[in-house]
Amino acid sequence: MEVKVLRLDHRRVRDARITTHVCLTARALGASGVFLSGDHDKKLMENVQDVVKRWGGNFQVEYRKNWGNLLEEWKNKGGEIVHLTMYGEQVQDVTPQIRSSPRDKLVVVGGSRVPSKVYQEADWNVSVTTQPHSEVSSLAIFLHMLYEGKELNMEFEDGNMKVIPSANGKNVVMN
Amino acid sequence: MEVKVLRLDHRRVRDARITTHVCLTARALGASGVFLSGDHDKKLMENVQDVVKRWGGNFQVEYRKNWGNLLEEWKNKGGEIVHLTMYGEQVQDVTPQIRSSPRDKLVVVGGSRVPSKVYQEADWNVSVTTQPHSEVSSLAIFLHMLYEGKELNMEFEDGNMKVIPSANGKNVVMN
C-alpha cells in the first residue's frame, strides 16, 4: 500500500513552517510523497527535497493547483482517500478497517476551512482525538497507527547523513 | 504519573504557530501543562487558555524564563526528564522503561539549538525516528506510545464545545 499526503490550502507566509513539518512528518513516518495545494511555494518544496537528498529515501513533493482533479484521479486509479479532521470517526475505531484495504491511500490534511467536497469524496473522515490540536500531530498519529509502529524501524537509503541513536549525545555518520 | 512539557527557546514571531501546536498537542494527548521558555508570549498563552476554556479539561500554560532552574526543581521534587531529540535512543526501545517508572515526567522539546546541559540533565534522550521532522509529531508519537493509545479515549470535562464523531460531516454540541 502506497501512502501519499495532500496538504490543502497552503499559504506561503503563514503556513511555511507548519507545511514543512507536515512534509517532513509524512516522510519520516513512511509516506512516499506529498502533494501541495494552495500557494505554489517553490522554496518550501526545495527545502523538503534538500532534506530528502541529505537524509535519504524516496520522497516526492509535487504541486497540484487543482486538488479536486487530484482526488478524482486518485480514485480513478483505484486509490482511497482518508481525510484527517477533528469531526471524523475516531482513529482508534477506523484504522483497522483502513489498514485492511490494500489500496493506495491519499491522506488529506486541511487548511483552516476545508470545503465540504473533501468530506464527501473521502472514503474515511478520521479524527485523532476530537480536540483541536495540529495537522502535524494528527498525521503523525494516523501514520503510526496505520503502520502499527513498524515505520519507526524504516531505513532511509542513500542519504549523506545518518544518526546513530545515543543515550547522551550526538552521533552523526556522514557518507 | 503527571506529564508536563517544556518548550525551549520560543521565539514570538517565528515560532508562534509551531509552539501553539506543541501546546495543543500536549493537551489533546494527555499532558497536564506546558512550560514556555524563550520569549514571554502572552498572546500565545492566552490563545491556548482560550482553547482550554472552550474545549474543557485541565491544562496549565506557564512561562519560565530560566529553564535550568525548572529542570532542577523538577528533579528535586522527584520528577524525571525526557528530552525529545533526533539524536537520542529510539522511542520504541526506551518507552517501556520510561512508562514503568511512576515518577512525574517533564518532556522537553527543543528549539533549533539545544544546550548540552539538556542532554546531560535528561534521564532519557529519546528520538522518534532518527530523521528530521517536527517537535509536534515527536511529541505526539511519544505521548501516544507512553499512554499506549489510552489518551485517545480521554474525556475533557467542563468545556463549552464537544465534537460527536461523524463519518460524513460536522457534529458539534454546545453546552
Side-chain angles (χ1 to χ4, degrees):
Chain A
M1 183 201 309
E2 187 171 19
V3 176
K4 291 205 172 189
V5 172
L6 165 61
R7 177 10 156 202
L8 294 174
D9 193 24
H10 170 68
R11 293 156 301 175
R12 200 186 313 255
V13 177
R14 185 172 153 81
D15 296 332
R17 288 188 70 213
I18 295 286
T19 300
T20 301
H21 286 217
V22 165
C23 294
L24 297 182
T25 295
R27 172 185 172 276
L29 297 175
S32 60
V34 168
F35 299 101
L36 292 180
S37 202
D39 291 348
H40 191 171
D41 191 338
K42 289 184 185 166
K43 180 75 163 47
L44 185 152
M45 293 168 73
E46 281 168 19
N47 288 345
V48 174
Q49 276 152 351
D50 189 51
V51 170
V52 177
K53 196 174 163 193
R54 279 184 292 144
W55 292 90
N58 286 309
F59 188 80
Q60 282 86 40
V61 196
E62 196 180 317
Y63 180 69
R64 294 297 294 261
K65 186 174 181 137
N66 190 327
W67 56 263
N69 286 353
L70 173 63
L71 298 188
E72 209 173 305
E73 248 174 57
W74 192 266
K75 289 192 153 188
N76 288 342
K77 282 200 279 185
E80 292 173 318
I81 296 169
V82 178
H83 172 219
L84 299 181
T85 160
M86 66 183 286
Y87 303 104
E89 296 181 278
Q90 298 207 74
V91 65
Q92 63 271 41
D93 296 337
V94 293
T95 304
Q97 192 197 352
I98 297 173
R99 194 190 304 118
S100 74
S101 161
R103 292 163 182 266
D104 290 344
K105 302 289 184 290
L106 183 66
V107 183
V108 185
V109 297
S112 43
R113 284 195 196 171
V114 175
S116 59
K117 182 182 163 75
V118 177
Y119 288 84
Q120 289 152 16
E121 294 291 321
D123 296 282
W124 293 276
N125 290 289
V126 178
S127 74
V128 174
T129 81
T130 50
Q131 296 292 316
H133 51 109
S134 169
E135 53 270 54
V136 180
S137 44
S138 294
L139 178 62
I141 299 277
F142 174 70
L143 291 175
H144 177 73
M145 290 179 76
L146 182 69
Y147 291 126
E148 299 181 285
K150 294 182 194 112
E151 81 291 348
L152 297 172
N153 298 311
M154 201 166 48
E155 291 285 338
F156 291 79
E157 307 289 338
D158 300 326
N160 304 326
M161 298 167 80
K162 189 176 176 175
V163 169
I164 310 299
S166 158
N168 297 305
K170 299 182 184 182
N171 187 357
V172 183
V173 177
M174 313 291 283
N175 293 326
Chain B
M1 183 201 308
E2 187 171 21
V3 177
K4 291 205 172 189
V5 173
L6 166 60
R7 174 17 154 199
L8 294 174
D9 194 25
H10 170 67
R11 293 156 301 175
R12 201 188 311 257
V13 176
R14 186 173 152 82
D15 296 331
R17 288 189 71 214
I18 295 286
T19 300
T20 302
H21 286 217
V22 165
C23 294
L24 297 182
T25 295
R27 173 185 172 275
L29 297 174
S32 61
V34 168
F35 299 101
L36 291 180
S37 202
D39 291 347
H40 192 172
D41 191 338
K42 288 185 186 166
K43 180 74 163 48
L44 185 152
M45 294 169 73
E46 283 168 19
N47 288 344
V48 174
Q49 276 153 350
D50 189 49
V51 169
V52 176
K53 197 173 162 195
R54 280 185 291 143
W55 292 92
N58 287 309
F59 188 81
Q60 281 86 41
V61 197
E62 196 181 316
Y63 179 70
R64 293 297 294 261
K65 185 173 181 137
N66 189 326
W67 55 263
N69 286 353
L70 174 62
L71 298 187
E72 207 173 306
E73 247 174 58
W74 191 267
K75 289 193 152 186
N76 287 343
K77 283 199 282 186
E80 292 173 319
I81 296 170
V82 178
H83 172 219
L84 299 182
T85 160
M86 65 182 286
Y87 303 105
E89 296 181 279
Q90 298 206 76
V91 64
Q92 64 270 40
D93 297 337
V94 293
T95 303
Q97 193 197 352
I98 297 172
R99 194 190 305 120
S100 73
S101 161
R103 292 165 183 264
D104 291 345
K105 303 290 184 290
L106 182 66
V107 183
V108 184
V109 297
S112 43
R113 285 194 195 173
V114 175
S116 60
K117 182 182 163 75
V118 177
Y119 288 84
Q120 289 152 15
E121 295 290 323
D123 295 281
W124 294 275
N125 290 288
V126 178
S127 74
V128 175
T129 82
T130 51
Q131 297 291 316
H133 50 110
S134 169
E135 54 271 54
V136 181
S137 44
S138 294
L139 178 62
I141 299 278
F142 174 70
L143 291 174
H144 177 73
M145 291 178 75
L146 182 69
Y147 292 126
E148 299 180 284
K150 295 183 193 108
E151 81 291 348
L152 298 172
N153 299 311
M154 200 167 48
E155 292 283 338
F156 291 80
E157 306 289 336
D158 300 325
N160 303 326
M161 298 167 81
K162 189 175 177 176
V163 168
I164 310 300
S166 157
N168 296 304
K170 300 182 183 181
N171 187 358
V172 183
V173 177
M174 312 292 282
N175 293 324

